[in-house]
Amino acid sequence: MTECLFCKMIAGEIQPDTVYETDDVLAFRDINPQAPTHGLVLPQRHIATLNDIGTGDTELIGKLYLAAAKVARDAGFAEEGYRAVMNCNGRAGQTVFHLHLHVLGGRDLNWTPGSAASIHAGLGAPWDGGVVWAGEFPSQTGW
């Protein structure tokens, strides 16, 4: 038996609140929603992180995004807007290591997901409470 929470859901050992399912994709409501509607869309096959996908996974990744769009349409907020995002590894907030898209909608979603103070702290720069994005990447990012 696998220890992956999402694999247990796929195997039927744990019952998620499923909103969409195909042979390749499972989508269900997040138990810790960060928006009025917060779904998770994942492949039926275990892939730990975005770093683990390969060129043979392009069709599957496309199916995840098509499923995300369907979830947004079915929830009634596709036209007004939503966010579909993947976190990769712990520092980005991935807590279940089975590739998945978060589909968030039903409210205004500001960018960036982190606070301005935490963004500047990550760049090693103090935050003065001013504008975070000034049109150029700070040199500390290595871009």
Side-chain angles (χ1 to χ4, degrees):
M1 179 170 84
T2 180
E3 294 303 314
C4 173
L5 175 66
F6 293 167
C7 286
K8 289 179 180 182
M9 292 177 178
I10 291 163
E13 297 171 29
I14 297 172
Q15 294 297 102
D17 187 359
T18 301
V19 296
Y20 178 72
E21 186 170 11
T22 68
D23 289 342
D24 298 310
V25 174
L26 175 65
F28 53 89
R29 289 178 178 84
D30 194 307
I31 62 168
N32 184 28
Q34 303 299 305
T37 300
H38 184 171
L40 300 178
V41 179
L42 51 120
Q44 296 268 8
R45 177 172 54 91
H46 184 86
I47 302 171
T49 75
L50 189 57
N51 291 337
D52 299 309
I53 64 170
T55 56
D57 296 317
T58 53
E59 183 177 346
L60 178 61
I61 299 305
K63 288 178 179 182
L64 294 179
Y65 279 94
L66 290 171
K70 178 173 178 22
V71 167
R73 277 191 310 276
D74 290 352
F77 55 74
E79 294 305 316
E80 66 187 44
Y82 62 98
R83 181 169 295 152
V85 64
M86 279 187 204
N87 299 325
C88 184
N89 285 322
R91 195 151 182 206
Q94 185 177 7
T95 57
V96 178
F97 288 85
H98 185 122
L99 185 79
H100 57 284
L101 268 174
H102 293 261
V103 181
L104 302 117
R107 69 169 172 85
D108 290 341
L109 299 166
N110 297 318
W111 194 260
T112 75
S115 71
S118 66
I119 293 166
H120 277 267
L123 296 174
W127 182 55
D128 62 5
V131 175
V132 174
W133 177 257
E136 295 181 28
F137 287 105
S139 61
Q140 293 94 335
T141 64
W143 288 47

